[in-house]
Amino acid sequence: MREDLASLGPLAQAFEHFCHITDNFSAELFRCYDIAGLPRTNNDLEHCFGVARA
């Protein structure tokens, strides 16, 4: 999509902003795939906290 921003029309600026923010956080964004046992979603994480609390 970055190659053809003209086709996005008025959404091009929003897409560029999304890409910029995603690039800034990409190193930590998908840590769940690098660390075994780390919950992949907020629901999984909430479940882990709930089990530990009980």
Side-chain angles (χ1 to χ4, degrees):
M1 292 180 87
R2 279 185 171 171
E3 296 173 4
D4 193 19
L5 286 176
S7 68
L8 295 176
L11 293 177
Q13 185 178 3
F15 180 74
E16 279 296 321
H17 178 71
F18 172 78
C19 290
H20 174 74
I21 297 300
T22 304
D23 288 343
N24 285 347
F25 293 106
S26 64
E28 303 297 326
L29 195 57
F30 300 107
R31 297 286 292 175
C32 63
Y33 298 110
D34 297 333
I35 301 172
L38 187 66
R40 295 182 188 254
T41 65
N42 285 341
N43 290 337
D44 292 341
L45 189 58
E46 289 290 332
H47 177 72
C48 287
F49 288 139
V51 169
R53 185 177 46 234

